[in-house]
Amino acid sequence: VNVLFNNSGTVNVNGPFTASAGMQQQSGTLNIAGGQTFTAGGSGLVLNGGMLKGTGTISGNVNNSAGTVAPGASTGILTITGNYTQGASGVLDIEIGGTTAGTQYDQLVVTGNATLGGALNTTLINGFVPAAGNTFNVIQAGGAVSGTFSTASLPAGSGLTANYGATSF
């Protein structure tokens, strides 16, 4: 696609897909399936609404201004080869059902910088109860992690706390 791609429906990326001028997500869902790659050139992928989910790769910058990013197909790893920015109205949804990234809990891998804002929603799944000392690296950046979530919804009684690191959260 050589024009700015505007999505308000459902796009399932089941093979390599390129939006060379970038993509504006207004509503609906962008699902990166089974390790596939979505290339967002130009302005990158801008989430003004709707949801980005899946277990593949976004090649380009992602600006989550008012959408929801939900790595995995239940649990899984979503990779962004670029920078990730989450604005004040953006949401990151994370599911935790064990201690292994990708198969038991969601992870967002960013090769560039991750700038955080907005909300983090965390849900325990499959009856999992975290034990003292368990850690869940839900964001791993190749560059710096800056900013903080304005709200971090952690399951009551789970003992989970939010820890910001230089290159991870």
Side-chain angles (χ1 to χ4, degrees), residues 11-13 29-36 51-58 68-80 92-96 100-109 125 138:
V11 174
N12 289 307
V13 178
T29 302
L30 175 61
N31 179 34
I32 312 300
Q36 296 300 319
M51 177 179 283
L52 165 63
K53 66 179 187 173
T55 58
T57 300
I58 304 292
T68 299
V69 173
S74 188
T75 57
I77 296 174
L78 183 64
T79 301
I80 297 169
L92 177 62
D93 275 343
I94 298 292
E95 293 178 318
I96 299 174
T100 305
T103 57
Q104 295 179 318
Y105 74 87
D106 291 332
Q107 186 177 55
L108 182 65
V109 174
I125 61 171
V138 298

Side-chain angles (χ1 to χ4, degrees), residues 145-156:
V145 172
S146 61
T148 59
F149 294 110
S150 57
T151 59
S153 174
L154 304 171

Side-chain angles (χ1 to χ4, degrees), residues 71-129:
S74 188
T75 57
I77 296 174
L78 183 64
T79 301
I80 297 169
T81 58
N83 296 319
Y84 177 71
T85 302
Q86 183 167 304
S89 297
V91 175
L92 177 62
D93 275 343
I94 298 292
E95 293 178 318
I96 299 174
T99 59
T100 305
T103 57
Q104 295 179 318
Y105 74 87
D106 291 332
Q107 186 177 55
L108 182 65
V109 174
V110 180
T111 64
N113 298 318
T115 304
L116 306 178
L120 168 69
N121 292 332
T122 307
T123 305
L124 296 177
I125 61 171
N126 302 326
F128 179 72
V129 177

